[in-house]
Amino acid sequence: MKLITTHETADFDALASCVALQKLHLGAEIGVGGGFAPNVHQYLTLHGNRFLTQRCQDVTLSDVDLLVVTDVRRRSRLRHVEQVLERAIRKPSSVRIVVWDHHPSAPDDLISDEEHVQPVGAVTTLVVEELVARGADIDREEATLFSLGIHEDTGSLAYSRTNSRDAKALAWLLGHGARPGLLQRFLRPPLDAIERSLLISILDRMEEVPTFGTRIGVSAHEIDEAPAGLARVTTEAFRMVPHDALFCVYRLRNGKTHIIGRSQSDAVMIGDVLGELGGGGHPGAGSAIVREGSLADVVSRLHSAIEKTCRRPEIVRDLMSSPVRTVTPKMPLRELAHSLHEWGHAGAPVIEAGKLVGMVSRRDVERAKRDGRDSLTVASCMAHPVHTVGPDSPLSDALEQMKAHNIGRLPVLDGTRIVGILSRDDVLDYLYEG
Ligand SMILES: [Mn+2]
């Protein structure tokens, strides 16, 4: 028997890649472990007869001679086929194991006979590429399901792990009948009453972990049992808060604690943080289940894991331009216009007796010229007081100031001495390079 399986709580990428793999392994059946994510579950209430799946506990695992594993390759997440994995070690000739995955490697990864692992946004992309290469034919339900897999794992091509192969696969699926109008309906069905109240309590109980320069929220809860939509509610909560990363911690009555993490900063790699607690995932999203300890214990272990794995975020010093060209208040505006043009700068700090006394921009000069004031000096049109930032401040603080005061250049002061300037261009260069 050929069996295709994936991780517990299968999401759209997991289900879509299972179904796509059935087209590569004709006659293979899909067996799942711990059910489906709520949105996939809802999708299957309508499509369950079109795309058949069964629970591994109902499969005669001793008959399996080909096991295809997708969207996962860690043994700890494949307990539902442990029997087959054990047999593969004991008697390798009795079963062939094929892996399709896009997660970073982990210490408990399977040893397989054939491995297709690439760092694309969705594992469905890899399988679709193989279908394209083989000239496979797919119908509109399949094309739509495969699109759902790619959309879910790439945040509709907006997550940082997305790459051009995901977009190409999506384009091919659109050309093969995928129905874009159906995507939102299945990807993000509205939250139900339990999920909405959970969302409110996440926001209510959020605390900030004091970590230099990175805003990390932790929201810890004791609940009776895990509601199905835990991951989805965490994603929704993360959309609503200004944090760089969010961890939701739920201790259930049975003593297990679920942790779900989301991050949009390279400084917080969720898979690394939760790997310290026996879980794992992508840099942007992951989860862990801790089997013992009180809620406070688990939260403090999470704090240590954050401390151990999180990088220092970029600080102003890393990005600022220096040395700085400065001007004096007495400089005539005509001369300033000439200098700014020559330097290719849009503005400059104004220094008097070694102290920063204002900022002047090309726009100020143009306005003065328009009003016939261009025979005056810099002092007549410079802006002050000046917003400044320290060289060791995190970049996020500087961005916050630029946003709050709508300014394009922040002088960087070490004490009273100007040591650099951080401009929008510096920030853009950094953002686009990363
Ligand atoms: Mn995936």
Side-chain angles (χ1 to χ4, degrees):
M1 177 200 178
K2 303 185 217 172
L3 183 70
I4 301 171
T5 195
T6 183
H7 54 81
E8 292 185 353
T9 324
D11 56 12
F12 272 119
D13 189 34
L15 176 68
S17 58
C18 283
V19 171
L21 282 163
Q22 266 182 321
K23 303 186 76 77
L24 298 180
H25 298 282
L26 295 178
E29 294 175 26
I30 298 174
V32 294
F36 297 96
N39 57 352
V40 177
H41 183 80
Q42 281 189 33
Y43 168 89
L44 284 174
T45 57
L46 202 59
H47 296 80
N49 289 334
R50 177 68 178 78
F51 303 117
L52 289 174
T53 61
Q54 51 190 320
R55 299 177 68 89
C56 278
Q57 64 202 54
D58 302 327
V59 174
T60 312
L61 292 175
S62 54
D63 288 349
V64 173
D65 54 10
L66 172 72
L67 180 68
V68 183
V69 176
T70 181
D71 204 27
V72 63
R73 63 187 189 283
R74 301 186 60 170
R75 281 186 81 113
S76 54
R77 298 195 72 200
L78 285 162
R79 289 175 208 274
H80 49 284
V81 286
E82 184 58 36
Q83 195 195 111
V84 183
L85 301 178
E86 253 169 36
R87 179 156 52 86
I89 294 171
R90 232 179 30 239
K91 204 175 160 213
S93 62
S94 72
V95 56
R96 182 172 167 74
I97 296 183
V98 177
V99 165
W100 292 76
D101 195 16
H102 66 134
H103 289 83
S105 58
D108 62 336
D109 281 350
L110 296 180
I111 312 263
S112 59
D113 299 287
E114 187 184 317
E115 196 169 277
H116 305 265
V117 178
Q118 308 242 1
V120 286
V123 72
T124 304
T125 296
L126 295 180
V127 190
V128 167
E129 285 176 345
E130 186 62 27
L131 292 176
V132 175
R134 295 195 189 182
D137 202 21
I138 62 171
D139 62 34
R140 61 188 184 186
E141 280 95 357
E142 290 166 332
T144 305
L145 173 60
F146 303 166
S147 302
L148 284 166
I150 298 174
H151 273 275
E152 173 130 284
D153 262 29
T154 62
S156 294
L157 303 180
Y159 292 162
S160 56
R161 62 174 179 260
T162 305
N163 72 30
S164 63
R165 294 166 65 179
D166 299 303
K168 262 185 217 147
L170 267 185
W172 185 80
L173 292 168
L174 278 169
H176 283 73
R179 294 286 189 269
L182 293 175
L183 298 175
Q184 280 309 328
R185 173 198 302 237
F186 297 123
L187 279 176
R188 289 180 67 190
L191 300 181
D192 65 23
I194 295 175
E195 293 168 334
R196 286 198 301 273
S197 71
L198 196 62
L199 176 64
I200 292 167
S201 57
I202 290 175
L203 298 173
D204 255 8
R205 290 197 212 160
M206 180 120 74
E207 290 181 0
E208 209 161 303
V209 185
T211 305
F212 173 80
T214 308
R215 298 190 69 183
I216 303 176
V218 173
S219 188
H221 308 255
E222 304 259 9
I223 52 179
D224 285 347
E225 51 191 292
L230 223 53
R232 196 156 87 86
V233 176
T234 308
T235 304
E236 292 299 327
F238 187 44
R239 257 187 251 280
M240 297 180 176
V241 297
H243 294 75
D244 300 308
L246 171 66
F247 292 92
C248 290
V249 186
Y250 296 95
R251 187 165 191 279
L252 314 186
R253 214 170 26 188
N254 67 13
K256 286 187 194 170
T257 304
H258 291 239
I259 309 177
I260 298 171
R262 297 286 181 267
S263 167
Q264 55 184 354
S265 162
D266 292 345
V268 188
M269 300 289 199
I270 296 290
D272 294 349
V273 177
L274 295 181
E276 292 287 314
L277 293 152
H282 297 284
S287 63
I289 296 176
V290 180
R291 283 161 210 284
E292 45 204 46
S294 69
L295 184 62
D297 291 340
V298 176
V299 169
S300 103
R301 286 181 60 193
L302 175 63
H303 281 218
S304 317
I306 289 171
E307 208 157 287
K308 182 169 169 195
T309 57
C310 288
R311 274 202 299 105
R312 187 202 69 155
E314 263 62 30
I315 57 173
V316 169
R317 193 192 298 281
D318 302 333
L319 269 73
M320 68 184 191
S321 306
S322 118
V324 191
R325 296 189 200 267
T326 61
V327 297
T328 66
K330 293 199 183 74
M331 185 187 243
L333 284 175
R334 286 199 185 102
E335 195 184 322
L336 172 69
H338 182 77
S339 298
L340 288 179
H341 179 76
E342 197 160 276
W343 301 334
H345 288 182
V350 187
I351 305 283
E352 187 172 39
K355 279 214 173 117
L356 178 69
V357 292
M359 288 291 287
V360 68
S361 70
R362 196 186 294 155
R363 217 181 315 159
D364 296 327
V365 181
E366 279 159 11
R367 202 174 299 140
K369 197 169 169 188
R370 218 173 36 230
D371 303 344
R373 292 185 281 113
D374 59 336
S375 55
L376 300 176
T377 63
V378 164
S380 71
C381 69
M382 68 185 189
H384 57 104
V386 187
H387 301 283
T388 65
V389 69
D392 295 317
S393 304
L395 181 64
S396 52
D397 283 8
L399 285 177
E400 205 53 52
Q401 283 220 49
M402 285 180 158
K403 218 162 57 187
H405 308 296
N406 189 24
I407 42 181
R409 278 167 306 279
L410 265 181
V412 183
L413 291 194
D414 195 355
T416 56
R417 196 166 55 92
I418 183 159
V419 292
I421 194 154
L422 185 72
S423 71
R424 283 191 186 121
D425 287 347
D426 298 327
V427 175
L428 287 177
D429 282 351
Y430 162 74
L431 287 179
Y432 281 82
E433 237 161 64

